[in-house]
């Protein structure tokens, strides 16, 4: 769609749209995307990295999608294959340990 602003991690399928972020932040799409990116790079959002056989397959922000870290791990344990893993990190690479089940 012309004029649709999309933001995600280059090379991976997960993404969001400026209009969705604008509704969440209560501002224009351009400003919402800027705020969203700032939250990520300043380490205020947890990034999930899904790997299959050690290779990254998707990168996303579970909390923005309405999932807790425990939800992500539960889905992986129920539906994932043995070679699938997920890790949580901040933008600077700091590892985030999920809550104990």
């Amino acid at each position: 769609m012309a004029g649709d602003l999309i933001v995600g991690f280059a090379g991976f399928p997960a993404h969001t749209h400026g209009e969705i972020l604008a509704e969440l932040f209560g501002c224009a799409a351009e400003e919402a995307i800027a705020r969203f990116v700032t939250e990520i790079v300043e380490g205020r959002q947890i990034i999930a990295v899904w790997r299959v056989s050690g290779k990254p397959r998707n990168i996303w922000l579970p909390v923005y999608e309405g999932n807790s870290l425990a939800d992500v791990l539960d889905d992986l344990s129920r539906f994932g294959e043995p070679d699938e893993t997920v890790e949580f990190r901040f933008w600077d690479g700091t590892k985030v340990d999920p809550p104990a089940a």
Side-chain angles (χ1 to χ4, degrees):
M1 172 188 319
D4 188 18
L5 301 174
I6 299 173
V7 63
F9 295 94
F12 297 97
H15 66 276
T16 191
H17 297 262
E19 293 173 358
I20 294 170
L21 294 172
E23 287 184 33
L24 286 171
F25 286 108
C27 59
E30 294 83 358
E31 180 183 346
I33 287 174
R35 288 171 62 181
F36 179 74
V37 170
T38 297
E39 285 190 2
I40 296 167
V41 299
E42 288 184 354
R44 296 192 309 249
Q45 291 299 324
I46 296 171
I47 300 165
V49 180
W50 171 52
R51 297 178 191 275
V52 177
S53 298
K55 296 179 182 178
R57 292 292 174 97
N58 203 0
I59 299 175
W60 77 102
L61 305 177
V63 175
Y64 268 102
E65 293 183 3
N67 299 300
S68 70
L69 303 186
D71 292 337
V72 173
L73 293 174
D74 182 55
D75 285 350
L76 182 65
S77 70
R78 291 181 10 198
F79 306 114
E81 297 296 324
D83 63 342
E84 291 182 63
T85 61
V86 67
E87 65 182 2
F88 304 107
R89 296 191 176 272
F90 289 110
W91 181 257
D92 68 0
T94 301
K95 188 174 180 179
V96 177
D97 291 322

